[in-house]
Amino acid sequence: RVLDVGCGAGASSLALAARVGAGGYVLGVDISEPLIDRARALAPQDTSALFRVADASNAVLPEGAFDLLFSRFGVMFFDDPTGAFTHMRHALRPGGRVAFVCWRGVGENDWVRLPMGAIKDIVPLPAPPGLEAPGPFSFGDRGRVTRILTAAGFTDIAIEPFDASISFGEGETRDAAIDDAVKIALESGPLSLVLADQPDDIRAHAWAAVRTAFADCPGERSVIINGAAWIVMARNPTASSD
């Protein structure tokens, strides 16, 4: 019995459902109704995965109903992460586990570092958010993650670094792959917010600069960039800590 937090369009939930088999089930929750609609549309009829529009930090969840609390890049956005994990822990059975992956620091992740670095002399960049402000990199500090989970009542906390090469942009040719990488960068993440209100000439200048940055990355039919994450695991105590 798995709770998938921030399940998006359901890819992780469906993969988990294939692992738990017919005897188990997966509940995927996300605050985005369009993503949940997409997850439901993609789910095969015989899957054990269910999907629900909900904020896991405060949603009504059955006490002790889950064996595993899972998330793939979905737990870094809580306004009160300690309160959120405390709330979610109550949905775990005694001895149940939490396992999630979250980004490390922005400087270690090329999907933000490269495009933002490329435009720093073209448009003024906003002040970086506070290290503990909700956002993709708010769990970049291993010590903070440990403090949050400890305060939320978890034990046996293990946090390991995970480094990977990421295919960021794909195409039939090298040029097409680079163009696709730029398109992704311009349509999502902090770059899209910085350029949202900029005139067309500035956007074009930024597009060229970001393209140059991605052109320096390896790859033939994709652009290979570096990604850095934490894999975090912990356990709900067998005896109540409340």
Side-chain angles (χ1 to χ4, degrees):
R1 302 165 299 170
V2 183
L3 177 65
D4 185 5
V5 177
C7 66
S12 56
S13 298
L14 295 176
L16 288 163
R19 288 176 175 267
V20 302
Y25 70 91
V26 178
L27 175 61
V29 298
D30 199 285
I31 62 172
S32 170
E33 187 169 350
L35 286 175
I36 291 296
D37 287 344
R38 181 62 174 161
R40 289 169 175 160
L42 292 173
Q45 288 190 347
D46 60 349
T47 184
S48 60
L50 301 174
F51 297 98
R52 174 180 162 194
V53 178
D55 182 344
S57 69
N58 56 31
V60 176
L61 298 169
E63 186 90 9
F66 297 97
D67 303 296
L68 174 65
L69 167 65
F70 175 89
S71 183
R72 186 177 66 168
F73 302 112
V75 295
M76 304 91 69
F77 305 95
F78 297 125
D79 291 330
D80 175 13
T82 299
F85 274 97
T86 300
H87 176 74
M88 293 186 293
R89 184 175 63 79
H90 289 297
L92 278 177
R93 66 168 175 80
R97 296 178 298 133
V98 57
F100 65 85
V101 60
C102 59
W103 296 114
R104 297 207 312 260
V106 62
E108 301 176 88
N109 281 284
D110 287 348
W111 62 277
V112 171
R113 184 184 68 84
L114 287 177
M116 296 302 284
I119 68 165
K120 62 182 176 62
D121 295 325
I122 299 173
V123 293
L125 298 183
L131 294 178
E132 298 189 1
F137 302 104
S138 67
F139 278 23
D141 180 1
R142 187 201 309 238
R144 183 182 186 231
V145 178
T146 299
R147 291 192 299 273
I148 289 169
L149 293 177
T150 300
F154 288 97
T155 60
D156 301 329
I157 299 166
I159 304 175
E160 298 294 336
F162 180 78
D163 297 274
S165 296
I166 300 172
S167 294
F168 193 81
E170 298 179 343
E172 290 298 317
T173 65
R174 169 71 174 167
D175 281 344
I178 296 171
D179 288 342
D180 189 44
V182 178
K183 181 175 182 290
I184 294 171
L186 289 175
E187 291 181 350
S188 61
L191 183 63
S192 64
L193 299 177
V194 172
L195 297 178
D197 298 323
Q198 296 298 323
D200 289 345
D201 60 329
I202 295 296
R203 291 179 63 86
H205 191 185
W207 189 94
V210 174
R211 194 182 195 284
T212 297
F214 282 128
D216 288 335
C217 298
E220 293 298 326
R221 296 188 178 182
S222 63
V223 175
I224 306 301
I225 63 173
N226 295 323
W230 298 119
I231 294 176
V232 182
M233 291 180 285
R235 191 171 294 278
N236 189 23
T238 54
S240 174
S241 60
D242 299 324

